[in-house]
Amino acid sequence: MAIDSLIYSLIQVLHNLGAALVLGAPVFWLLLAPPLQRARPALLILAAAWALQGITGAGFGGASWWLYGRLPDLHPIAFVALLIKIGCMTSGLLFTLYLIFTAHGAPGRLAWGALAALSAIALSAAAVLRWNA
């Protein structure tokens, strides 16, 4: 296996695990509704997972720059999908941080639903990005 394939694979593994967490955590909360005192730790983990999505997403571009001296050429559809992913990641992270620092008590179902929707949109955009790059 070439070093570039190994680097991209390791970034992809972290990115996929983060994606599973940013979708799984809000869906888990919506479906199973654990005790409210567990909301804050769940939000802290979710914020870290959103940050991981941003870092590993940027890691793909960074690896391309480091390995090949340029960013990947993206089809316009793939570029729009990338912007959607970046928007979802930024919105998800900021909203999660907002809930951590300003919410009194646990977030309601609407907040968890919004976080799940942002995750699902980002994952859908990832599929478009993957097959139109």
Side-chain angles (χ1 to χ4, degrees):
M1 174 182 267
I3 189 71
D4 57 341
S5 294
L6 178 62
I7 291 169
Y8 282 117
S9 296
L10 291 174
I11 294 169
Q12 189 69 58
V13 166
L14 291 173
H15 199 67
N16 288 354
L17 290 173
L21 187 56
V22 295
L23 181 58
V27 169
F28 167 79
W29 204 275
L30 283 168
L31 296 178
L32 300 179
L36 294 180
Q37 69 269 20
R38 294 189 185 160
R40 187 166 176 83
L43 287 170
L44 291 170
I45 292 169
L46 189 57
W50 278 115
L52 178 66
Q53 287 302 101
I55 292 165
T56 55
F60 288 117
S64 293
W65 189 268
W66 180 64
L67 292 167
Y68 306 114
R70 63 182 177 85
L71 295 174
D73 292 326
L74 293 179
H75 184 278
I77 293 172
F79 186 72
V80 170
L82 177 61
L83 292 177
I84 290 169
K85 282 179 54 92
I86 292 169
C88 288
M89 183 281 306
T90 304
S91 299
L93 178 59
L94 292 175
F95 186 51
T96 303
L97 292 172
Y98 169 79
L99 292 172
I100 290 169
F101 293 111
T102 64
H104 302 289
R109 294 183 60 78
L110 183 61
W112 288 110
L115 289 167
L118 286 168
S119 303
I121 293 166
L123 280 168
S124 299
V128 173
L129 176 61
R130 171 67 177 99
W131 293 107
N132 286 286

